[in-house]
Amino acid sequence: MSMELVCTAERLRTHAWVADARCGHAGENAPGIVLVLHSTGIDALCRLGRSRLIDRLQRDIEYTGEPVTWRLLDTLPASASAQQIDAWLQAPLPREALLLDEQQHDGVWTLALRIPLDLVYFPGHFPQAPVLPGAVQIAWALSFAATRLGTPARCQMMEALKFQQLLRPGNRADLTLHHDAARNKLHFAYRHGDKAYSSGRLAWSATS
């Protein structure tokens, strides 16, 4: 590991947006840095997007070295080994929500989720204002329901869809799932406290 990269991680840890920064290898001899952001950094990510956030950080610490692979993590254990850092840098960007907790009561599942900062869908939707696409919210609801309620992983009809507020990097959301077997419909809703993000019904034919 080059001293320049080690010093870069040290300078990043003094930045107001950064809670932690570690350097490692993103591939054979390819440098990389994993970052954990303070709440102010997450706000900046939502405001600027991933690419502009990283550009701003590099300008602020006056980094002029070789290109670096970046990963944004929600947490980074103080005891993380060099091998773990390298594994995070070499892993693909996440495609799924972080499942924090789940409960089932009277056939209704409630899943506590956190939206990863580095979700693969954010750079394309939208690069400078990352938002979780509605299609991904529906796909997650179907996937989580399939393993808990035994419903199909794909639906044929979508009813009463409402997208009320944007889901952004780092947001928490409680996903509720209920299968109305008599009507063969899956009811889903993303909300957190009194904040409603989205909801709808996903349906299949009687023979699905």
Side-chain angles (χ1 to χ4, degrees):
M1 187 64 56
S2 72
M3 282 305 299
E4 180 184 18
L5 200 61
V6 172
C7 292
T8 297
E10 291 176 353
R11 291 199 301 274
L12 281 166
R13 287 195 288 271
T14 68
H15 196 284
W17 292 350
V18 177
D20 200 356
R22 316 274 185 89
C23 53
H25 296 99
E28 187 174 352
N29 299 320
I33 292 178
V34 295
L35 290 177
V36 177
L37 300 176
H38 283 305
S39 59
T40 52
I42 296 175
D43 290 343
L45 174 63
C46 293
R47 188 175 67 253
L48 300 174
R50 188 184 196 276
S51 179
R52 291 169 64 197
L53 171 87
I54 291 170
D55 287 346
R56 172 69 179 274
L57 288 172
Q58 290 183 105
R59 288 201 309 271
D60 286 354
I61 66 169
E62 300 180 343
Y63 179 75
T64 58
E66 61 185 311
V68 173
T69 295
W70 300 80
R71 287 291 185 269
L72 309 180
L73 300 183
D74 292 87
T75 60
L76 182 58
S79 60
S81 67
Q83 290 78 13
Q84 288 174 308
I85 299 295
D86 290 351
W88 282 317
L89 285 166
Q90 294 166 26
L93 295 178
R95 293 181 173 272
E96 307 297 335
L98 297 172
L99 178 60
L100 306 177
D101 190 25
E102 57 183 303
Q103 301 177 37
Q104 188 271 140
H105 181 69
D106 288 342
V108 178
W109 283 87
T110 302
L111 286 68
L113 307 175
R114 180 178 171 88
I115 311 304
L117 299 181
D118 231 0
L119 195 69
V120 69
Y121 306 107
F122 285 145
H125 196 93
F126 300 92
Q128 297 182 5
V131 173
L132 183 66
V136 175
Q137 298 178 44
I138 293 169
W140 285 355
L142 285 165
S143 177
F144 281 123
T147 56
R148 290 158 180 81
L149 295 166
T151 51
R154 297 189 178 187
C155 68
Q156 295 179 322
M157 294 170 285
M158 294 178 283
E159 304 173 350
L161 290 180
K162 296 180 182 178
F163 296 98
Q164 296 154 282
Q165 297 196 54
L166 300 178
L167 274 166
R168 312 294 302 277
N171 278 164
R172 293 277 301 272
D174 294 324
L175 169 61
T176 57
L177 300 166
H178 170 63
H179 181 215
D180 182 346
R183 294 178 174 83
N184 207 20
K185 296 180 180 182
L186 174 69
H187 297 251
F188 78 91
Y190 291 87
R191 60 182 308 118
H192 190 62
D194 59 358
K195 182 178 290 187
Y197 290 110
S198 64
S199 61
R201 296 189 299 271
L202 308 176
W204 304 270
S205 69
T207 58
S208 63

